[in-house]
């Protein structure tokens, strides 16, 4: 069984489905509503667990009552949680996610890491050294850097979820074996992630082919299946979780295109099903 450690953000996600987006000072009646744990690293962890991996999420949740919701949902999804801020009294981050019926497009309002501060726990090196791959989303910067450095020391591959530029990525990119960037990712000086030290760079572009480049000069693209989108919320996180599992199976990343094809296939399943969890049952081999 592959072992994956995910390091980063866990949130409470309030997910509303609507048939129209309200304008300023308007209201819209939701056609459906879900509450689930969310956040890039948490969603990736849930995906990896659904694919059969042994998964630990290292994150900051705290003692606020909303934290119990996060823990319960992640436990139900088979994700072990290591909370680096168990005594924090501030509420965890809460995201409001609105998904448009018909297109599956989503809008999100969130506070990212909120007011819960994440320290670096004892035993981080041991947990990372036992992993087949480590996924880092860049939230909780000190924790993210410590985890990536520990993985680098232990010779464990690092998958970096790089959605939008944040200053911590200057430290994380040189430690990344695979930097999975969104099309919106831009270094403030225009630097190429390969030039900053990443071994491989992947660029996801929604329904368009995934681009990849390696430091040795290889490059290519992986087609994205054409599917009817019902819900795009968390599709990128699902891609990253599946990619981390694929990298755990191939720690040398000898066949990046094959890993990307597996990740793309999982993301395609995600977008075809409404809601944050129902799609997991559609994955091959899911319980």
């Amino acid at each position: 069984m592959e072992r994956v450690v995910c390091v980063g953000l866990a949130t409470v996600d309030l997910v509303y489905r609507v048939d129209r987006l309200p304008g300023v000072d308007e209201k819209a009646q939701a056609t459906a509503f879900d509450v689930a744990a969310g956040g890039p690293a948490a969603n990736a962890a849930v995906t990896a667990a659904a694919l059969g991996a042994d998964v630990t999420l290292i994150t900051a949740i705290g003692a606020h009552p909303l934290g119990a919701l996060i823990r319960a949902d992640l436990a139900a999804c088979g994700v072990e949680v290591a909370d680096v801020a168990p005594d924090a009294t501030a509420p965890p981050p809460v995201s409001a996610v609105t998904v448009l019926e018909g297109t599956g497009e989503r809008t999100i309002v969130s506070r990212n890491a909120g007011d819960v501060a994440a320290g670096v726990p004892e035993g981080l090196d041991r947990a990372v050294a036992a992993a087949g791959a480590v996924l880092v989303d860049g939230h909780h910067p000190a924790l993210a850097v410590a985890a990536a450095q520990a993985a680098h020391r232990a010779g464990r591959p690092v998958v970096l979820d790089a959605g939008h530029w944040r200053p911590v990525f200057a430290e994380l990119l040189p430690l990344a074996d695979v930097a999975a960037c969104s099309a919106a990712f831009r270094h403030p000086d225009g630097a190429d992630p390969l030039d900053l030290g990443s071994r491989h760079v992947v660029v996801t572009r929604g329904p368009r082919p995934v681009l990849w480049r390696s430091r040795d000069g290889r490059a290519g693209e992986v087609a994205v299946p054409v599917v009817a989108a019902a819900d795009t919320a968390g599709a990128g996180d699902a891609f990253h979780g599946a990619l981390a599992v694929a990298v755990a199976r191939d720690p040398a990343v000898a066949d990046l295109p094959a890993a990307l094809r597996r990740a793309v296939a999982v993301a395609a399943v995600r977008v075809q099903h409404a809601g944050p969890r129902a799609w997991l049952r559609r994955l091959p081999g899911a319980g």
Side-chain angles (χ1 to χ4, degrees):
M1 177 185 293
E2 295 79 19
R3 178 159 182 76
V4 174
V5 171
C6 298
V7 182
L9 186 64
T11 69
V12 175
D13 279 3
L14 310 177
V15 185
Y16 300 87
R17 292 189 70 82
V18 297
D19 54 18
R20 69 175 185 88
L21 294 176
V24 176
D25 205 27
E26 289 185 344
K27 296 181 179 180
Q29 182 68 30
T31 60
F33 173 70
D34 289 285
V35 182
N43 285 335
V46 167
T47 301
L51 292 171
D54 181 4
V55 183
T56 297
L57 172 66
I58 303 176
T59 187
I61 298 174
H64 189 276
L66 286 174
L69 186 155
I70 297 174
R71 292 188 187 88
D73 186 41
L74 292 175
C77 292
V79 175
E80 180 182 351
V81 175
D83 187 356
V84 301
D87 299 322
T89 58
V94 177
S95 297
V97 184
T98 303
V99 180
L100 187 61
E101 294 276 15
T103 68
E105 296 169 302
R106 88 287 189 268
T107 58
I108 301 173
V109 178
S110 67
R111 281 204 65 205
N112 290 335
D115 298 318
V116 179
V120 178
E122 293 184 11
L124 177 65
D125 286 68
R126 184 169 59 254
V128 165
V134 178
L135 180 142
V136 179
D137 69 8
H139 292 278
H140 304 306
L143 176 60
V145 172
Q149 289 174 336
H152 194 68
R153 288 193 296 270
R156 299 297 185 262
V158 175
V159 176
L160 177 62
D161 173 355
H164 292 79
W165 174 260
R166 289 191 295 277
V168 70
F169 286 132
E171 296 180 76
L172 292 175
L173 284 167
L175 300 169
D177 292 270
V178 181
C181 306
S182 74
F185 184 84
R186 298 286 187 280
H187 187 282
D189 297 329
D192 189 319
L194 287 179
D195 294 336
L196 297 175
S198 301
R199 285 182 57 206
H200 308 280
V201 173
V202 173
V203 180
T204 57
R205 305 183 298 165
R208 300 165 63 197
V210 174
L211 306 179
W212 64 272
R213 294 177 293 118
S214 299
R215 202 186 304 166
D216 62 9
R218 293 178 300 142
E221 62 181 47
V222 172
V224 173
V226 178
V227 299
D231 190 343
T232 61
D237 304 335
F239 175 89
H240 297 137
L243 180 59
V245 173
V247 169
R249 293 172 180 167
D250 176 21
V253 198
D255 193 348
L256 179 59
L260 295 176
R261 284 192 291 271
R262 288 192 285 270
V264 163
V266 169
V269 175
R270 168 60 193 111
V271 301
Q272 292 179 77
H273 302 282
R277 296 289 180 259
W279 72 278
L280 297 169
R281 296 191 292 272
R282 305 288 184 160
L283 290 173

